[in-house]
Amino acid sequence: MPSPLPRTVRVDAVVLGGGVTGLWTLHQLLQRGYQAVLLEEAKLGGAQTMASQGVLHGGLKYALNGVLNDASETIGAMPQRWADALRGSGEIDLRAVEVLSPCQYLWPMGSITSRVAAFFASKTLESRSVALEPRQHPPAFSPDHYRGSLYRLEETVVNAESLVREMARPVADRLFQVDWEHTARLVAEFGHITHIDLPGPEETVRLTAERFVLAAGKGNGPVLEKLGCQSHPAMQLRPLHQVVVKAPDLPELFVVGIGAGTKPPLVATTHPTADGQRVWYLGGELAEEGVHRDGPAQVSEARKLLAKHLPWVDLSGAAWASFRVDRAEGLQPNGSRPDGPLVKTAGNAIVAWPTKLVLAPLTADLILAEFEKMDLAPGGPDAPPAPALPLPAAAVAQPVWEELFRPAAPAHV
């Protein structure tokens, strides 16, 4: 008996990738009345979003030489949009998102050169940073231990898991987990995505769309290969080797270190864990240079860095771990970090790499601008009801440290 024909489901847009950029784009499409769904291969936010430090920064880390460059200016406009959303007055209501810190601190890490660089950075960006008196220092830099300078940066730090969860909640009926390896099949011909076949227990659904938004970070690569056109945007991967320190009594640490160079030697944020402890999440130049070190060597380097610059903090009982992550970006001629998002149309696909978490709203703007160029008009102020697909709901990922420090299962005798 021949197999029944697939049931065709037509939508305006399919978003591939459930990080913050994909979720923000989905919200914007629905608010404009487009019929849209989002497909995520693993868990929502499970790749680059959960690997981020949750900093909604204003570009100061890209101007540590005292010069406002294109990257710092592109990012500089973003914190206000996030602030509006976190107050509930922006395009997405994020009032329930957990804010870990309302600010970061610019931290000159010891040398005379770094102190001078910090001074000029603060003067150049004086509207974004404020020099603090010793009595205003956070507990990790108590005047009893630290005699140096600190500058307050108006850069909010959010809990990435909380952010993804709150962005997913109002659109949960449109978030699906898809198994590309075993069941689902994306079909492309002549540089266009024709459809996605989704086999179910009772029928196969053939999902078609006017536009497919590729917001899957590293996962954009395989889809572009299927499209097979040399003119499509190319991707570069910037590897990082992050370090996590866990202990129950860690003081809060939200710092952008500044040294003799133009890159922060250390960027540190503090996050709660499921068992009531805290972790320090360490990035910056430590993570960039750490790609050349194995795990134990990277942890050793982080230990030495903290022992040198925070000797008064007792880390003797802390647990340490490291992990690697590839940050996916639009390809640059010299392999450098892009100044802003890359959004480009390839056939009926819109390919997007935001570069930074904070740039998700701008990336969504650029994606929506591509939609406005097409003849397809949205249905009205509200999107149609979500279509039924033979797929499970997409769940929210856990922060990476929950897996890194998961207790080992007892051995069976």
Side-chain angles (χ1 to χ4, degrees):
M1 183 175 179
S3 300
L5 293 175
R7 175 173 63 88
T8 298
V9 171
R10 294 181 175 86
V11 296
D12 297 325
V14 174
V15 180
L16 302 179
V20 167
T21 296
L23 288 167
W24 200 292
T25 301
L26 179 66
H27 275 266
Q28 296 291 69
L29 288 167
L30 296 176
Q31 288 172 14
R32 286 161 174 76
Y34 289 106
Q35 173 65 293
V37 295
L38 183 149
L39 306 184
E40 165 58 44
E41 183 175 19
K43 291 188 177 181
L44 299 170
Q48 287 188 205
T49 297
M50 289 302 174
S52 76
Q53 293 183 277
V55 180
L56 305 178
H57 66 77
L60 187 141
K61 66 180 284 188
Y62 299 134
L64 295 185
N65 59 354
V67 177
L68 287 169
N69 54 30
D70 289 343
S72 61
E73 289 298 85
T74 299
I75 294 175
M78 286 297 101
Q80 185 59 51
R81 290 184 67 177
W82 283 94
D84 292 342
L86 291 169
R87 284 195 299 266
S89 58
E91 55 249 64
I92 301 176
D93 186 349
L94 299 179
R95 282 175 293 179
V97 171
E98 181 184 8
V99 173
L100 299 175
S101 177
C103 65
Q104 290 199 99
Y105 298 93
L106 183 64
W107 174 29
M109 295 180 69
S111 72
I112 294 176
T113 303
S114 70
R115 293 173 191 273
V116 173
F119 171 79
F120 282 108
S122 69
K123 287 296 183 182
T124 302
L125 300 175
E126 59 186 7
S127 65
R128 306 182 200 178
S129 63
V130 178
L132 299 180
E133 299 291 335
R135 59 182 175 80
Q136 297 174 305
H137 288 185
F141 294 91
S142 164
D144 294 337
H145 303 293
Y146 180 69
R147 299 285 192 268
S149 302
L150 280 182
Y151 301 84
R152 178 185 168 105
L153 311 180
E154 301 305 323
E155 297 181 345
T156 302
V157 184
V158 298
N159 182 325
E161 181 185 17
S162 170
L163 174 61
V164 173
R165 194 173 300 282
E166 289 306 314
M167 293 188 75
R169 184 174 47 79
V171 294
D173 60 342
R174 297 174 183 271
L175 306 175
F176 301 95
Q177 185 178 9
V178 61
D179 185 349
W180 296 116
E181 183 177 358
H182 299 103
T183 55
R185 188 169 69 100
L186 183 147
V187 179
E189 295 179 356
F190 307 110
H192 282 64
I193 300 173
T194 61
H195 61 270
I196 298 174
D197 280 339
L198 304 170
E202 299 180 359
E203 63 175 353
T204 293
V205 165
R206 177 157 292 176
L207 181 62
T208 67
E210 295 292 332
R211 288 291 185 271
F212 293 82
V213 177
L214 277 56
K218 187 176 178 179
N220 288 352
V223 181
L224 289 174
E225 287 181 10
K226 280 182 173 287
L227 290 173
C229 178
Q230 295 300 315
S231 65
H232 289 162
M235 176 178 67
Q236 67 184 28
L237 298 178
R238 223 161 26 90
L240 300 172
H241 194 175
Q242 310 278 120
V243 175
V244 184
V245 188
K246 181 180 179 181
D249 54 356
L250 288 175
E252 289 191 343
L253 189 66
F254 295 95
V255 294
V256 177
I258 183 168
T262 58
K263 294 181 179 180
L266 179 73
V267 178
T269 49
T270 308
H271 305 260
T273 62
D275 60 3
Q277 299 190 45
R278 283 177 173 170
V279 297
W280 283 353
Y281 188 22
L282 310 180
E285 196 171 22
L286 170 71
E288 293 186 24
E289 296 298 323
V291 298
H292 306 297
R293 295 185 281 264
D294 63 16
Q298 177 69 340
V299 166
S300 176
E301 187 68 20
R303 282 178 178 269
K304 289 188 291 184
L305 188 66
L306 293 180
K308 177 181 179 181
H309 294 286
L310 292 171
W312 54 87
V313 178
D314 181 10
L315 297 175
S316 58
W320 299 73
S322 72
F323 75 99
R324 297 177 184 271
V325 61
D326 288 328
R327 178 164 289 160
E329 303 166 338
L331 180 66
Q332 301 299 295
N334 59 358
S336 63
R337 181 191 59 247
D339 290 331
L342 185 147
V343 174
K344 185 176 179 181
T345 296
N348 62 343
I350 301 172
V351 189
W353 289 286
T355 303
K356 301 291 293 182
L357 171 75
V358 73
L359 291 172
L362 175 58
T363 309
D365 290 348
L366 297 174
I367 293 170
L368 267 292
E370 294 299 317
F371 271 80
E372 291 172 0
K373 297 176 183 178
M374 33 189 291
D375 294 331
L376 175 69
D382 298 310
L389 300 178
L391 295 172
V396 175
Q398 286 188 317
V400 65
W401 44 82
E402 299 297 345
E403 184 65 31
L404 289 172
F405 296 117
R406 188 183 303 278
H412 294 285
V413 180

